[in-house]
Amino acid sequence: MSLRVNGFDLPPAAANAPLRRLLQSAAKSPLPGSHTEPNYYWDLTFWGLDRVRLFQEATPEEQHRIWAIANQDLLEEIYWVEQGGVGYMAKMLLLAETIEERLLYGLFAADEATHLTQIQRFLVSPPVFQGDHFLAFMGELIESSDRALLMTLVQVVLEGWGLSHYRYLAQNCLSPDLKVTLQGFLAAESRHHAAGVLGLQQWPYRPDSLDRIYEALSHFLQMVQLGPQRLLRAIAQGKGDLSRPEKIQILEELQTEVHSQKRLDILRNLMTGNVPPAILQKLDDQGSFKPYSAVQCVP
């Protein structure tokens, strides 16, 4: 059985474990769960919930539950992305072909570990992995040993995307502490992204790598085309089961096509010049950079 590196199934240490005190000292960060600020880190307009009729007609208790779930879900997504980042850098350290590359990915692993300990402070308890579609995709991707696939998807696309994503989250964050934490991620994300771009500039792609890169990008872009599905799930969790017409109406009110197009445009720009032109052309031809309508987003 091969060793899995994504870390999604690793249990946390006991609360009184000596290792936790050593980790706190090494990371120069308070222990997880020590944060006392409210859990509403982004306001209703950030989510677009002020435009959703079903939310506006919900009881105050339902509204706060939806809002809290959406905030917690976003924090947990950051946690799992950074958890996966630690595993990814560990994988790349093992796959390194020069001393300098090994050292670089060792330093990058420390960046990701630092981010993970910092974001843990804002969570009440360690999250339990629920098999979210995007995170499951990322987790399986990290297990690959195809370096071209790994660098393209993780460092060029996801780390590049992370730059704009974390910047946007920081700009709209209600908590000064979390805002500063997210802003602190940006320099490292930029270095990780740049290393992927440089590493692929003269890369001798094999045909099987090109096929895997195309399939992975096609699958990832489809998730983006489907719009704010995580927010839709948060509304369903807080309000109760939603009918298909209700889901479509919510996505229309959230302006899902505008929401997705902005993200697809960012991803298209990230890939231009960094992804083999034949792959980019194939993605263009199949409409991977065009958002789905609200009706198409709901099976």
Side-chain angles (χ1 to χ4, degrees), residues 255-284:
Q255 300 177 326
T256 184
E257 291 185 66
V258 174
H259 173 277
S260 296
Q261 189 64 70
K262 289 178 181 177
R263 286 151 181 77
L264 291 165
D265 288 344
I266 292 170
L267 291 167
R268 179 71 168 78
N269 288 335
L270 278 171
M271 294 179 201
T272 301
N274 296 319
V275 169
I279 293 178
L280 203 56
Q281 186 61 55
K282 196 172 180 180
L283 293 169
D284 262 328

Side-chain angles (χ1 to χ4, degrees), residues 125-272:
S125 59
V128 176
F129 186 62
Q130 302 292 338
D132 170 86
H133 192 187
F134 163 67
L135 294 171
F137 163 78
M138 189 184 82
E140 286 306 310
L141 177 69
I142 292 167
E143 303 305 327
S144 171
S145 293
D146 184 334
R147 296 185 71 210
L149 173 66
L150 288 168
M151 285 191 288
T152 300
L153 268 293
V154 179
Q155 287 182 253
V156 171
V157 176
L158 294 181
E159 297 264 22
W161 164 260
L163 276 169
S164 60
H165 183 55
Y166 285 146
R167 188 177 294 113
Y168 179 68
L169 295 184
Q171 287 171 349
N172 291 278
C173 188
L174 301 175
S175 160
D177 196 0
L178 180 56
K179 180 191 288 284
V180 169
T181 297
L182 293 171
Q183 288 171 334
F185 288 9
L186 297 178
E189 296 291 326
S190 181
R191 287 192 297 271
H192 304 171
H193 172 69
V197 171
L198 288 171
L200 288 170
Q201 282 181 351
Q202 305 296 326
W203 192 264
Y205 291 95
R206 300 191 313 268
D208 57 335
S209 285
L210 292 172
D211 291 341
R212 283 191 285 264
I213 291 169
Y214 160 71
E215 292 293 340
L217 286 174
S218 182
H219 185 65
F220 172 61
L221 290 170
Q222 186 179 50
M223 286 188 275
V224 180
Q225 289 174 297
L226 285 168
Q229 294 288 328
R230 296 177 73 95
L231 181 56
L232 192 63
R233 288 198 300 273
I235 295 171
Q237 284 179 262
K239 182 67 180 172
D241 290 338
L242 302 173
S243 67
R244 185 170 187 269
E246 285 175 327
K247 291 178 182 178
I248 291 171
Q249 180 179 329
I250 290 169
L251 288 171
E252 287 174 343
E253 290 166 343
L254 290 171
Q255 300 177 326
T256 184
E257 291 185 66
V258 174
H259 173 277
S260 296
Q261 189 64 70
K262 289 178 181 177
R263 286 151 181 77
L264 291 165
D265 288 344
I266 292 170
L267 291 167
R268 179 71 168 78
N269 288 335
L270 278 171
M271 294 179 201
T272 301

